[in-house]
Amino acid sequence: MAEARQQAPEGDAVLTRIGQAVMLHRGGDREEARNRLAALWREIERDGAPFHRCALAHYLADTQDDPLDELLWDLRALAAAEALTGSLAPRAFLPSLHLNVAAGHLKLGQEAAARCQLALAREAAGALGEDPYGDRVRAAILRLTLVLEGAVED
């Protein structure tokens, strides 16, 4: 999602509010972050830009306590990313978003679905840059692959 911030116009109030909630979450206030993000979601859910819905759902997933709720938000983020047009951003988001969905399925014991999403993450990984973000996503894809193969524990 770092690329998401780079794609957003300056002065983007929605992205600013998302960033403020993310800072709360990273600072340890998960509940307040979730509350603020959920309130923002209610504002933009119907007619918000796919870019905003993608970023918001992505971060809302991270604030969930229940693995099923986390997966549902990750699926919303993926759907919003797929609705983005006219930008290279969706291709760069997809590996990470598919990876998140795969991890969510695995948390719920849905190994076949996890493998399917992990395969989609691998296929989309060609869109990643040769940069720290791309390196992190590729490493996470490899790690989840090893977990699914039983080579390492999650």
Side-chain angles (χ1 to χ4, degrees):
M1 282 291 119
E3 284 76 22
R5 281 173 261 153
Q6 294 171 357
Q7 296 286 330
E10 280 191 45
D12 185 323
V14 172
L15 199 58
T16 297
R17 290 172 63 194
I18 292 170
Q20 290 167 340
V22 169
M23 288 187 335
L24 282 171
H25 181 229
R26 290 182 181 159
D29 197 345
R30 182 183 185 109
E31 184 176 353
E32 182 61 22
R34 180 176 45 238
N35 291 340
R36 288 187 188 195
L37 292 169
L40 183 54
W41 179 262
R42 288 187 295 273
E43 290 177 30
I44 71 165
E45 176 181 13
R46 290 201 171 115
D47 58 357
F51 171 81
H52 289 141
R53 290 194 323 270
C54 177
L56 182 53
H58 169 75
Y59 289 117
L60 253 166
D62 293 340
T63 67
Q64 302 305 305
D65 296 324
D66 182 298
L68 180 57
D69 290 336
E70 181 179 358
L71 176 60
L72 292 173
W73 283 111
D74 281 330
L75 288 167
R76 286 180 184 110
L78 181 59
E82 290 173 342
L84 285 166
T85 57
S87 169
L88 295 177
R91 290 189 323 200
F93 296 163
L94 291 177
S96 177
L97 295 172
H98 282 296
L99 179 65
N100 291 345
V101 171
H105 282 300
L106 189 58
K107 284 180 188 176
L108 294 170
Q110 301 167 347
E111 192 173 309
R115 289 181 186 281
C116 178
Q117 287 294 319
L118 185 59
L120 293 170
R122 268 193 231 101
E123 288 174 23
L128 294 169
E130 294 297 325
D131 55 26
Y133 172 77
D135 293 344
R136 283 191 308 274
V137 174
R138 282 187 288 276
I141 290 170
L142 176 59
R143 174 145 177 69
L144 190 56
T145 299
L146 294 173
V147 167
L148 282 167
E149 291 174 356
V152 298
E153 289 188 29
D154 191 28

